[in-house]
Structure formats: structure tokens, C-alpha cells
Amino acid sequence: MIVDFLFNVFSYIPHFNFHFKKVKPTFDVDFRGEYVQSLLLLAAFCGVILLLLLCTIATIWICQCCRRHDASVKSRRKVKRLSTALFVISIFCFFFLGFTLFANDQINRGVSSSLNGLDDVTRSFILAKSQGSILNGTCGNSSTHIKELFDVVDKKRKEKGVNQTLVTEIDGALTNISDTVEDVMDRLRKLDGVLIDVSFLDKAHEYGERIEIERWLLLVLVQSVQLCVLFAGVIAFCRQSKKGAVIFSSLGIVIFVVVWLLTAFVLPASVGLSDFCSNGGAFVKAKINEKMIETLDFYKDCKVSTSRDNVPLVLGMKEVSASLNLIQSSKTKLDSLLDQTFNRSAEVANVSSLITADNSKALMDLGALQSSLACYAYKIDVNAMHSGLCSQAMLGAGILLLSLFLLGVMMFILLIVVSRTWHLFTRLPSDYVEVDEDDPFFPRTNDSAIPVDIYGTHVFNPRTRERTDPSTGTTSANTNGTSADEASQPLWRGPSAPPANGTYPRTVLGDYGNYNHDRYEIQ
């Protein structure tokens, strides 16, 4: 069986204290004890492995950064093979991450089953304590009524004509009944002493439920973050994006550290769980009395039947039942003696009837107590306590530990291989400026400052196509009928310099097509 194999594997793990002396694998929670020191050393061992792997990754990354690479020479086939290798390694990481999620859920189901069984057992024991208290109260009332009957008999024996021999027999019968009632009450007090450790079971259920919820939630959150980062890394590898590979490297190193920290926590916890299931008797005996342990062992192996007397012998319910039956038979003889001695006195009959009623109620209370302690009320829950923790949870712990270890190894390989993409992958267009982002050199707010002729012509300038800014005339069409030479001539002609008075003669501007233009005087 897989669980037995896991127990055998964990049993071979040595336990050493801080002085590196071997200690026994006896489960204990004393934080100053040697057993806890051995678990801390196991966690430290995982921490040492983490540091060695981190040093290896850092050395390789530094070497990759210091190597010279020719950016113009990149083998497309090599880049494709590298991208495929990263994708395959990432798939393996997803595979092991999925197994960690499965193992986490397996542990949660096992621990929840054990906690539910513990809760049901605790509630049943509390109910049994309550039924025992009721029976003890009934016996107390019976003891009070027996004392009253003693007083009535002492009062009646002084009357004339009373047979003193019969009175002596009545005193003996009452003494036997009283002693039997005291014996029943003493056994009920012992039962209460056995069930007093129910408070420990209740606290164990409370703390266990709280710890399990926090453990399950924390692991799910961490694994969800790992899943998101790995998914983003796969997208970057498929796109062969240099920026994505660099970002994944920075986030992947964090995931790598978290995976090994989880391993450092799961390894000692799994070893502790194995030791608890195999050698946890001493710890349990330190918290629960031996009779309580015997009671739980009885419920674990008992055969379920509808009989109410299928109760652990250590609880003494058979003795209580025999005592109450003895009281009932003794009370029948006592009633005949009372009737014969005191001639059916009403005062004696009233007190005697109270004792009879107490005994009948005590038998009913005993039936309720036996029902609350019967095998059928505990067997399923006690077995669930053991199988849930030492079978389901143990199996989940083994799968979780193995999955985390393999995930840590694959993440180490992935981080080593991804460092080669820093110089082989290229930047994608989306790595620079998004479509909706501003141009860092010419933002949208500076459109008006861009020259009209920046593209050689304002007609084909997409930023000024709709504007009505005046043209510089560099590309205007010849629509006035002038030749190219005339277009290049100034508007005024004349070989001589302007006169001294600053006026210009009137000149003809030229013939533009079929139109006659007025002459202008330019001053």
C-alpha cells in the first residue's frame, strides 16, 4: 500500500538534535525538546539546498551578462529550439504544480475528515458526561430518600408491638441499598474522571481546524500566483519576447525561492505526521488518561450491534447496571418487610415509594447513558479520526512533498535556460510604444509645433492634411499662366537701383492668362 510505503520511507530519515546526536523518532511538540530540533534541522537542510541552487543561478546569470554576443548574428533555428525547450519545461512545471494543488486538496479532505470525526466524538462524550451527571443526581436523590426512610424506621421502632428482629432486618436491607447507591455514585465519579480529558479533544479540534484553514488558504494563494507567473512566462516564450523573458526571470526567481521554502516546511511536517501516526502513543498518553485511550481503542475495533450494553469495560457500566438491578431486587424485599413490620403504615409507604421511583428513574438514566457510550455511536467517527489523518492526509503529504521537490528542480532548470534568451530573443514592437501611447519625441500636444513641410509637402502630411495653413509655395501648381522662369523672378523688375526719394516707378506685373490685372504701386 502507498501509505505503508510512505511510512517506511519517512522512517529511514534520521533525527539529529542541534549537537548532531541521533534522537528517537518519538513525536513531541515541546519546542525546546530534541525532537523539534531534529525537525528544524530538516528544514535547515532544505534551506542549504536553496542557497546552493541560488548561488548557482546567480553565477550563471552573471556569466550570461558578461559574455559578449554579436547582436547581428542570431540563428533562427537556435532561437526556435530554445523557445520550444522553455515551453516544454514550463509544461512540466504546470504538471507538477497541478499535482501540488491535488495534494493540497487531498490533505484538506483527510484533515477535515479527521476533525469532523473528532468533533463528533467530543460531542458524544460531552453528551455522555451530561447523562452521567443526570444519573448521579438521581442516585443522590435516592440516597437522601433512604436517609429519610432510616429516620422514619427509627421513629416507628419505638412504638409498642413492633418486632425488633424485623426492624433489624430492615436496617440491614436499607444499609445494603444505601451502600449500593454510594457504589453507583462512586463509579459515576470515576466515569466523569475518565471523560474529563474531553476538553483536550475539544481544544485540539478548535486549533486543528483553524490551522488547517490557514494552511490550505495560504498554499492555494501561493500556488495561484505561481500559476499566473508561469502562464505569463509561457506567453513570453511563445512570442520570443526579450522583455517578457527578462520580466519572467525576475519573477521566476521569487517563485523558485517560495517553492523551496514550502519544501522546507512540508518535509518536517510530513516527517512529524509520520512519527505521530507511528510513535505518537507517548504524546497522546501525556495529554489523555490511559482509560480514555483504552476507550478509544475499544471503539476502533468493536463490532457494531444494537445492544446498549456494548460499552467499554473500563467505563464500568456493567457494574453500574448490576448495582441498580440489585437495588431493585433488594427494594422489593424491603417493601415486604416494611409492610409486615409496620402494618403498611402510610408514612413509611410514602417514603418507600420515593425510593422506588428514584430507582426506576435511575434505570432509565442508565439506559440513556449506555446509549450515549455504545459502540455504534463512536466506531465510524473514531476510525475517521485515524484514517483521515494517518491515511488520506499522509498520502497527500507524500504527493505534495514530491511535487514540490520536482517543481523546484524544474524551476531551477527553467531559470538556467531562460538566461540564454536575454541575448537571443528580440524586442517586439509592443515592447516599445503601445498604439495608444504618445510618441516620446513628438507628443500629441506638440503637433502644432511640427513644421508644415516636415514631410516635403503639406499635402501628404497626415498631421496637417485637414489644416488650412498657407503654403510656402514649394509645390503649388502653375495656375496663373506664367512660365517657370517668370515664377522664379521677383515681382518688380528694373535694372537700376531705386531712386533716392524712395518711390518706385509703376511697372507691369505681367499677363496672367486672359485676365488684365491692375497695376500696383509698391512703396
Side-chain angles (χ1 to χ4, degrees):
M1 191 176 180
I2 299 178
V3 177
D4 296 332
F5 173 76
L6 291 175
F7 282 126
N8 293 330
V9 170
F10 287 124
S11 64
Y12 285 112
I13 297 177
H15 294 69
F16 297 95
N17 57 14
F18 288 163
H19 300 288
F20 296 99
K21 294 182 179 180
K22 195 170 183 179
V23 298
K24 295 181 179 180
T26 303
F27 181 82
D28 192 10
V29 293
D30 184 10
F31 291 99
R32 296 182 180 180
E34 293 183 343
Y35 181 78
V36 175
Q37 293 179 7
S38 65
L39 297 183
L40 292 178
L41 283 180
L42 291 177
F45 175 73
C46 296
V48 171
I49 296 178
L50 172 61
L51 291 178
L52 292 177
L53 295 178
L54 282 177
C55 290
T56 304
I57 294 174
T59 303
I60 295 176
W61 282 12
I62 292 173
C63 293
Q64 287 291 338
C65 293
C66 295
R67 288 178 59 186
R68 294 183 179 180
H69 297 271
D70 189 358
S72 61
V73 180
K74 294 182 179 179
S75 174
R76 185 174 183 85
R77 182 177 300 176
K78 185 176 181 180
V79 172
K80 185 176 181 179
R81 287 200 301 265
L82 184 60
S83 178
T84 303
L86 290 173
F87 179 79
V88 172
I89 297 173
S90 299
I91 293 300
F92 277 103
C93 291
F94 277 116
F95 181 76
F96 294 126
L97 187 58
F99 265 97
T100 59
L101 290 170
F102 166 75
N104 184 40
D105 188 63
Q106 180 75 12
I107 295 174
N108 180 257
R109 288 200 303 268
V111 175
S112 298
S113 175
S114 181
L115 290 175
N116 291 334
L118 180 61
D119 185 40
D120 292 339
V121 169
T122 303
R123 292 176 183 274
S124 297
F125 278 141
I126 292 175
L127 177 61
K129 288 184 64 176
S130 176
Q131 295 292 341
S133 299
I134 294 174
L135 178 57
N136 193 21
T138 303
C139 292
N141 294 332
S142 179
S143 180
T144 301
H145 296 152
I146 290 173
K147 291 180 180 180
E148 293 179 359
L149 185 57
F150 265 118
D151 296 336
V152 172
V153 170
D154 289 339
K155 179 181 177 181
K156 290 290 184 180
R157 72 190 306 172
K158 297 178 182 179
E159 296 180 357
K160 293 180 180 181
V162 176
N163 191 340
Q164 297 299 322
T165 303
L166 294 177
V167 172
T168 303
E169 291 180 6
I170 292 173
D171 288 341
L174 284 174
T175 302
N176 290 333
I177 294 175
S178 178
D179 292 340
T180 305
V181 172
E182 291 294 334
D183 181 68
V184 171
M185 295 177 67
D186 184 62
R187 292 185 181 279
L188 291 175
R189 283 191 291 268
K190 290 181 180 179
L191 174 64
D192 190 67
V194 173
L195 301 180
I196 194 173
D197 290 329
V198 174
S199 58
F200 171 76
L201 299 179
D202 192 19
K203 290 182 180 179
H205 169 263
E206 180 183 356
Y207 289 124
E209 188 175 24
R210 184 184 307 172
I211 293 173
E212 174 58 21
I213 291 175
E214 294 176 355
R215 184 208 62 81
W216 179 83
L217 183 60
L218 177 63
L219 196 56
V220 167
L221 291 177
V222 171
Q223 290 171 330
S224 299
V225 173
Q226 294 174 358
L227 187 65
C228 294
V229 174
L230 282 175
F231 183 76
V234 169
I235 294 177
F237 301 150
C238 294
R239 298 182 64 196
Q240 299 179 1
S241 171
K242 180 178 181 180
K243 181 179 178 181
V246 172
I247 294 176
F248 174 78
S249 300
S250 60
L251 296 178
I253 194 69
V254 178
I255 294 179
F256 174 76
V257 173
V258 171
V259 168
W260 279 99
L261 289 178
L262 288 176
T263 305
F265 173 78
V266 173
L267 176 60
S270 301
V271 173
L273 178 60
S274 175
D275 293 337
F276 174 78
C277 295
S278 302
N279 304 308
F283 171 76
V284 175
K285 289 180 180 179
K287 303 297 180 181
I288 302 176
N289 58 77
E290 293 185 3
K291 290 185 177 181
M292 186 73 159
I293 296 175
E294 293 179 12
T295 301
L296 295 175
D297 291 338
F298 169 83
Y299 290 133
K300 182 179 177 181
D301 301 325
C302 66
K303 294 182 179 179
V304 178
S305 64
T306 57
S307 177
R308 294 182 303 177
D309 58 353
N310 192 7
V311 180
L313 296 176
V314 69
L315 299 180
M317 289 296 100
K318 287 188 176 181
E319 289 78 3
V320 172
S321 178
S323 297
L324 291 179
N325 290 328
L326 180 60
I327 292 173
Q328 187 176 22
S329 61
S330 299
K331 182 62 174 57
T332 302
K333 295 179 180 180
L334 178 63
D335 289 339
S336 64
L337 288 174
L338 291 174
D339 292 341
Q340 182 180 358
T341 303
F342 300 108
N343 196 18
R344 297 186 180 184
S345 172
E347 184 178 3
V348 175
N350 290 334
V351 178
S352 178
S353 63
L354 294 177
I355 298 175
T356 303
D358 291 336
N359 188 61
S360 299
K361 188 175 185 303
L363 289 173
M364 296 175 60
D365 294 338
L366 176 63
L369 178 59
Q370 288 177 332
S371 297
S372 62
L373 292 174
C375 175
Y376 60 80
Y378 293 88
K379 183 177 178 62
I380 296 177
D381 296 326
V382 171
N383 287 326
M385 287 170 53
H386 183 269
S387 62
L389 193 62
C390 297
S391 180
Q392 285 184 292
M394 192 68 220
L395 178 61
I399 297 175
L400 180 61
L401 180 61
L402 180 61
S403 300
L404 286 175
F405 176 77
L406 295 177
L407 179 60
V409 173
M410 297 306 298
M411 285 297 302
F412 172 74
I413 298 174
L414 184 62
L415 292 175
I416 295 298
V417 177
V418 78
S419 62
R420 297 178 59 85
T421 64
W422 298 348
H423 301 285
L424 293 179
F425 284 177
T426 58
R427 288 185 177 271
L428 301 178
S430 60
D431 293 343
Y432 293 95
V433 180
E434 298 293 338
V435 176
D436 294 335
E437 294 181 1
D438 289 338
D439 192 337
F441 299 100
F442 295 102
R444 299 180 186 273
T445 55
N446 295 334
D447 284 351
S448 59
I450 300 178
V452 176
D453 296 339
I454 188 172
Y455 293 97
T457 172
H458 73 284
V459 176
F460 296 99
N461 185 351
R463 296 193 179 188
T464 59
R465 185 175 300 170
E466 301 299 331
R467 295 181 9 188
T468 57
D469 293 344
S471 173
T472 57
T474 58
T475 59
S476 61
N478 187 5
T479 59
N480 293 330
T482 60
S483 63
D485 294 337
E486 290 177 346
S488 63
Q489 294 294 331
L491 295 178
W492 59 84
R493 294 193 182 110
S496 59
N501 56 6
T503 60
Y504 295 91
R506 291 166 36 170
T507 59
V508 180
L509 296 178
D511 186 10
Y512 294 89
N514 297 325
Y515 296 94
N516 294 323
H517 297 275
D518 294 336
R519 298 184 178 183
Y520 298 89
E521 243 180 48
I522 301 176
Q523 297 182 353

